[in-house]
Amino acid sequence: MFETLFKYPNVLRRHKEGPLAAERAAYLSEQAAQGMAQGTILRRSSYCLCVAIELQRWPPNRCYNEDEVEALAATWAEKRFNCGRASSPRWPKEHFRFVATDFLKSLGRLCLTSTPEKSHYEAEIDQFIASQQASRWQSKATCRSARWQITRFLDYLDHRGVVLVDITPIDVDAFFEHMSQRWGRSSLRTSAKILRSWFGYCESRGWVRFGLSEAILLPRIYRHEGLPLGPTWDAVGRMLIKTNGDDSASIRDHAIILLLSVYGLRSGEVRRLHLGDIDWPNDRIRFVRSKSKRKDVTPLEPRVGNAIARYLRYSRPKTESRVVFLTLRAPYRPLSTGGLYGVVARHLSKIGLPKKGRGPHGLRHTCARHLLESGRSFKEVGDHLGHRSPDATRFYAKVDLVSLRKVALNDLGGLI
């Protein structure tokens, strides 16, 4: 492996004769097999050699924890900065830390710093989450969010020396006053609704004093403050024109934006799309809904199908992964939430749209508004978006300006 990377004898000898040469060569060969660029592998080889030299100072069975990797990365970055080989220590540190963590993990010599302490009320929270899952919460994301909100509240009170049975409305108000310095009204309202449900369950079990849930006041959200935002249908068309190029990024992004805007999908429904979900002979495509986990099979729109087929043929990396949309650079992996957000936001920013509503969900709102303005019924739009409740679809009636104008003109009667 080293012979293919280095042509200078001294550099080649340093890497071949350095500690853990076989392990480093195996690690770099694995990265090369995944399609990683040679320049990236060269940088990683230097990081791995530095880590191997550091490991040589310790017994063979010693593991590194995350804090020690962080310190080693900081030292490396500082040297690069001091010798003028980097304009800032930030990115050398981040790159080194990522590679060092990955290399140590491949050696089996990485250990977690510490396991986070569980909340004192972990069992009670588990019971509450289970009860909600059995009745109304079907999304894992909702359960994770609720657990995080409740744990954050209880940790805050724990630091103040307040136990669950002694909580009063004053303690709840103090928590929200503390969080209002960083959260907006919508975030505070979400937290308050979850804590209301939590304390209602606690009251039924006798864990807290009665009436605590009713004492939690929800912050006011002003009319139209939470209306769904997103680009216009014409703006989406301009964005599709700009992404209709021949480079790998444009081909992939064009298919993603078409999926989001034509089917009104959520981010996770695109990121989880597998090759087996596309039934090419019958022109069908299957989506696993993020909230209900229901599998919806729908006709494959020709333009979307052609865009996906073009991506699979000319742009998608050759890998064993069955996920459709992957990163552009090795090691190839499914797009993360932030990665997909970046795809949409990057192209929306090019056509001069405001920051709010630039993410994938903005295109879902655009799809819903376009269907309503085209004369589709709420039932049709709800089925298309995968809504379980009609109320979720009626929300878009507030932004269906075409229909609202018609209603206004009809109500004026003979005055015009």
Side-chain angles (χ1 to χ4, degrees):
M1 180 65 193
F2 295 128
E3 287 81 358
T4 62
L5 289 175
F6 308 107
K7 60 181 180 180
Y8 294 107
N10 290 339
V11 178
L12 177 60
R13 184 170 58 252
R14 183 167 68 249
H15 282 269
K16 289 184 68 174
E17 297 178 359
L20 300 176
E23 290 83 352
R24 286 185 288 113
Y27 173 76
L28 297 174
S29 297
E30 182 181 353
Q31 304 304 306
Q34 295 178 7
M36 185 173 290
Q38 187 167 359
T40 305
I41 297 176
L42 278 170
R43 287 194 298 273
R44 291 199 169 200
S45 65
S46 299
Y47 299 156
C48 292
L49 180 59
C50 180
V51 173
I53 293 172
E54 176 67 19
L55 289 174
Q56 195 178 30
R57 299 173 48 233
W58 302 97
N61 59 347
R62 185 187 188 276
C63 291
Y64 252 63
N65 61 40
E66 293 172 343
D67 293 335
E68 290 171 321
V69 175
E70 185 79 15
L72 186 60
T75 303
W76 164 273
E78 198 64 35
K79 288 180 180 178
R80 300 275 293 180
F81 177 69
N82 291 336
C83 69
R85 302 186 68 180
S87 58
S88 166
R90 178 188 174 188
W91 291 116
K93 175 185 173 183
E94 291 297 319
H95 295 159
F96 184 96
R97 182 179 58 80
F98 176 81
V99 176
T101 301
D102 195 43
F103 179 52
L104 288 168
K105 191 183 299 182
S106 71
L107 297 175
R109 297 183 66 175
L110 179 71
C111 57
L112 297 176
T113 306
S114 59
T115 303
E117 292 186 9
K118 290 189 175 183
S119 169
H120 298 312
Y121 306 102
E122 193 72 21
E124 289 84 352
I125 297 175
D126 287 342
Q127 293 179 37
F128 168 69
I129 297 295
S131 70
Q132 297 301 307
Q133 285 180 309
S135 57
R136 55 197 185 112
W137 289 354
Q138 297 186 18
S139 169
K140 291 182 179 179
T142 302
C143 296
R144 283 196 303 268
S145 174
R147 182 182 296 276
W148 183 85
Q149 294 280 5
I150 298 167
T151 302
R152 190 177 187 89
F153 170 73
L154 293 175
D155 287 346
Y156 169 80
L157 293 184
D158 187 49
H159 287 128
R160 299 185 63 188
V162 180
V163 296
L164 185 62
V165 70
D166 293 333
I167 292 176
T168 66
I170 295 176
D171 298 317
V172 179
D173 291 342
F175 169 75
F176 285 119
E177 184 177 355
H178 172 72
M179 298 310 301
S180 64
Q181 301 173 17
R182 286 173 286 176
W183 289 356
R185 286 193 304 276
S186 295
S187 298
L188 291 171
R189 184 180 179 87
T190 298
S191 180
K193 289 172 68 175
I194 290 174
L195 291 180
R196 260 192 178 183
S197 299
W198 159 248
F199 282 122
Y201 181 80
C202 290
E203 289 172 17
S204 68
R205 295 303 183 98
W207 296 340
V208 297
R209 62 185 64 190
F210 184 76
L212 194 57
S213 62
E214 294 298 326
I216 299 178
L217 302 178
L218 301 182
R220 174 178 292 178
I221 301 297
Y222 295 100
R223 186 183 297 273
H224 306 315
E225 181 180 4
L227 287 181
L229 298 176
T232 64
W233 194 249
D234 290 338
V236 173
R238 296 199 304 272
M239 184 168 55
L240 289 170
I241 292 173
K242 286 185 175 293
T243 57
N244 197 22
D246 294 327
D247 58 288
S248 296
S250 295
I251 293 174
R252 184 199 65 178
D253 296 352
H254 188 79
I256 289 175
I257 293 168
L258 270 174
L259 268 173
L260 289 167
S261 55
V262 171
Y263 291 99
L265 301 176
R266 297 181 179 92
S267 171
E269 293 162 1
V270 173
R271 290 185 290 105
R272 289 191 301 269
L273 188 66
H274 278 62
L275 297 174
D277 292 329
I278 307 174
D279 183 3
W280 296 106
N282 297 311
D283 291 328
R284 298 277 180 177
I285 188 168
R286 178 178 61 198
F287 304 117
V288 180
R289 298 299 180 181
S290 294
K291 292 190 174 182
S292 64
K293 302 305 177 187
R294 187 179 68 241
K295 296 180 179 179
D296 286 348
V297 178
T298 186
L300 181 59
E301 200 273 335
R303 189 180 177 188
V304 176
N306 291 336
I308 296 176
R310 185 176 180 228
Y311 164 70
L312 295 177
R313 180 174 297 177
Y314 299 114
S315 179
R316 188 178 184 271
K318 297 187 184 305
T319 173
E320 295 181 357
S321 175
R322 300 293 294 170
V323 176
V324 173
F325 296 107
L326 304 173
T327 56
L328 297 173
R329 296 181 180 178
Y332 303 113
R333 56 196 182 277
L335 287 172
S336 64
T337 304
L340 187 60
Y341 184 95
V343 167
V344 178
R346 182 169 62 252
H347 294 293
L348 282 175
S349 64
K350 292 179 181 178
I351 58 176
L353 291 178
K355 290 185 177 181
K356 193 169 185 181
R358 274 191 190 174
H361 218 71
L363 297 182
R364 179 175 171 86
H365 297 324
T366 300
C367 175
R369 291 207 315 272
H370 176 68
L371 291 174
L372 285 173
E373 291 170 0
S374 300
R376 303 298 195 280
S377 68
F378 285 116
K379 177 69 168 59
E380 291 173 317
V381 175
D383 290 344
H384 186 78
L385 298 177
H387 285 160
R388 289 179 295 167
S389 168
D391 294 334
T393 312
R394 290 195 190 101
F395 193 55
Y396 290 100
K398 299 177 182 179
V399 290
D400 182 7
L401 299 181
V402 174
S403 297
L404 288 176
R405 290 192 187 102
K406 291 179 180 178
V407 172
L409 291 174
N410 289 337
D411 286 347
L412 288 174
L415 294 179
I416 57 174

